[in-house]
Every structure is written in C-alpha cells, then in structure tokens.
Amino acid sequence: MVNAALAAQLRPRLEAFEALRQQTLATVDRRARWWVPLAGIGIFVAVLAGGWGITSAMIFGLLAALAGWFVAIGSRAERYQAAVKQGVGDTVSVQLLGFAHEVAPETDPAHVRGWQLFPELQSVRTLDRLTGDWHGREVILTEMAIAYAPGPGAQSPRRSEMADAVLPVSVVETDWPAARGAMLALTPKDAPRRLLLAPQGDGLQPAATGDPDFDQAYATRCSGEDACALLTPALRASLLALHGNGQAGRPFVAIGHGRIAVLFRRDEDQVGFHVPPYWIPIDIDALLARFASDLAHRRALITATLALPAGEPTRA
C-alpha cells in the first residue's frame, strides 16, 4: 500500500523522467554514430599504415571504437541517473523517514580528516546524504567513497605507480554530548592493513581497554584518559554487536567534540538508491521497491547508531 501511494504521487513526474531518458538516449545515439566509427576506423587505418598488421589494427580499432562510445556518453548518463535519483529519493525519504535527501552534495575533506581515521586521505566523493531529526537528535547519513593511499606513504618511490584504494561507507553522524573536548578513534582490525596505521601528528595515542574481545576487534587511539574513559563496558559491547547486518566488516568509529561518526563499511556494488542506466525504461514500481528496501537498510543503521549508550565515562 505504501509503495502504491508513493507510485501514485510520482506518476506525474514519470513523464519528465521518461522525456529526459529519451533525450539522453537520442543524444548519445547521435554522438555515437560519429565518434564510434571515427575513432575505430581512424585508429585502424593508422595502425595498419604503421605496419603492425591486420590483427593488431583490428584490436586497436575495436578498443578505439569502445573509447569513442564512452566519449559519446560523456556525463549524460550520470546526469540522467542523478535527476531520477533526486526525484524518487526525495519522495521516498520524506514520506517514509521524514528526512531530506540530497544527491552528490559538496564534500568537505577536512571534515573527514577530522575523524582521524585515515593515514593518507586522497579524496572523498559523496554519493548522497540524508538529514533529519530523530526523536530530538539531529542525524546525518552520508554515502561516501573514501580514497586513500594504499602504499606506505606519499614519499614512497612506488607511490606514483599505485592506484588509490577506495573504502565505500555509509556514515551515520549524530550528537554525543559525553565526548565534549575528547577525541577517540576506533579502527577495526579487519580493515585493510594500510588503514591500521595512525595518521601522522594527530595527537592521539594507542590505548588498550583491558577488554580482550574489544581489543582483539579494534585498534583504539585516544586523546587522553578522558577520551579512553568514554569506552564504557556497555558501549564496547554495543560496538561489537554492530558487526554483521550485511556490512563488509566491522565499522570505523570516531567520537569527539560532542559528535559521533560511525562508518559502516559496504561492498562497492551495494550502492543505495541505484537508478538503472538510461537505455532501460523506468519501472516505477520496481524502482520504488528498491528505494524502499535501501531506505529500510539505512534506517537500521541510524537506529543502531542512536541505540549506542552514551553513558558517563568510566575510569580505572
């Protein structure tokens, strides 16, 4: 019934979505008619004239034709998917969760660096963001792709040969008054080895909680005794219980300056609010079912984060 009501609400916008899809399809088709044969034949002739032989010319010609197809597409496919994602995502998020939804918002790398979780942050790409109020607490859920250097450092002789590694995460942020001025960073020990290295000069010191299960699962760094005391027995148990729920490993956690950020890891193919490519007609019922399922998963992450006990710090 809920999906039927949402579908009825979105049907007036379907014409606009379909018009944009048809326009994208026609534009790419028109450009591909020029770029694909131009690139393919051009490279085929050039390689053949260079004396490489017919087989090499055909291989390079086919690769060039494929490159021509990508040139023809350009950013049009992404713009189409973003428009549909914004329209459907807005409706679903507001109606089912009461949250505002934004596609590809501006990203502040300094904010991510402030979590002090990544030794060499290269870039951050934000896919979309939900913001709202949950029982009096401001909540932000952001889908991110965080790129970091996989090697030992920027000065490594092999650094230029390495592609940046990417960590896809769903980040839930909310207030955490118990933290005040303290800072605490938790890196799961099942994370990529590169991420187990502490950022240089972050002022945090390695610490152990004395809880064997927790210390086996997390590398803990604190700004001082007050920060380490935030890891109460109840909070440690709750953080350990966050593992699972379809996640690609234990989450990263940053607590400090009155806020908490829980970075739930996901597989690269687990992209929320996915819109099919422009050559596939929109099935609004199937799309709504997918968006509603993705939103239910995000809601579970929000609920799990807000359930973490922010009790008074304990000290040995």
Side-chain angles (χ1 to χ4, degrees), residues 19 61 75 87 106 145 165 284:
S75 61
E106 289 292 327
I284 191 61

Side-chain angles (χ1 to χ4, degrees), residues 68-229:
W69 186 70
F70 281 109
V71 170
I73 293 176
S75 61
R76 292 163 186 81
E78 289 185 3
R79 290 203 299 266
Y80 160 74
Q81 288 178 304
V84 177
K85 182 178 182 179
Q86 185 75 63
V88 179
D90 288 356
T91 300
V92 172
S93 301
V94 171
Q95 296 299 321
L96 298 185
L97 194 61
F99 276 35
H101 172 246
E102 187 178 4
V103 175
E106 289 292 327
T107 304
D108 182 8
H111 179 67
V112 178
R113 289 190 178 95
W115 296 332
Q116 300 185 8
L117 291 168
F118 305 102
E120 195 175 337
L121 184 69
Q122 298 298 304
S123 64
V124 182
R125 184 166 69 96
T126 301
L127 306 180
D128 67 342
R129 178 177 293 144
L130 297 174
T131 56
D133 181 272
W134 192 283
H135 301 297
R137 294 178 69 178
E138 178 198 24
V139 178
I140 302 172
L141 188 149
T142 308
E143 294 284 341
M144 288 183 173
I146 299 174
Y148 61 93
Q155 303 305 316
S156 168
R158 296 186 55 214
R159 174 66 186 91
S160 61
E161 303 172 9
M162 301 176 183
D164 293 334
V166 177
L167 181 73
V169 291
S170 302
V171 185
V172 180
E173 298 178 78
T174 189
D175 55 282
W176 198 267
R180 300 184 180 90
M183 187 68 203
L184 175 69
L186 302 175
T187 300
K189 291 186 177 179
D190 63 353
R193 291 181 58 188
R194 174 66 179 136
L195 295 180
L196 294 176
L197 300 177
Q200 296 296 316
D202 65 359
L204 303 185
Q205 299 298 321
T209 66
D211 180 336
D213 291 335
F214 191 84
D215 290 337
Q216 185 177 9
Y218 279 100
T220 302
R221 292 180 296 113
C222 307
S223 59
E225 291 184 6
D226 290 344
C228 292

Side-chain angles (χ1 to χ4, degrees), residues 11-97:
R11 287 195 193 284
R13 304 188 64 178
L14 275 181
E15 290 187 9
F17 293 152
E18 180 60 18
L20 179 59
R21 190 185 75 83
Q22 292 290 348
Q23 181 185 14
T24 304
L25 193 64
T27 302
V28 172
D29 181 67
R30 185 176 63 253
R31 288 170 56 86
R33 289 175 186 273
W34 284 94
W35 278 105
V36 172
L38 183 66
I41 295 174
I43 295 299
F44 174 82
V45 172
V47 173
L48 195 62
W52 283 54
I54 188 69
T55 302
S56 296
M58 289 182 65
I59 292 173
F60 283 105
L62 287 173
L63 291 175
L66 182 61
W69 186 70
F70 281 109
V71 170
I73 293 176
S75 61
R76 292 163 186 81
E78 289 185 3
R79 290 203 299 266
Y80 160 74
Q81 288 178 304
V84 177
K85 182 178 182 179
Q86 185 75 63
V88 179
D90 288 356
T91 300
V92 172
S93 301
V94 171
Q95 296 299 321
L96 298 185
L97 194 61

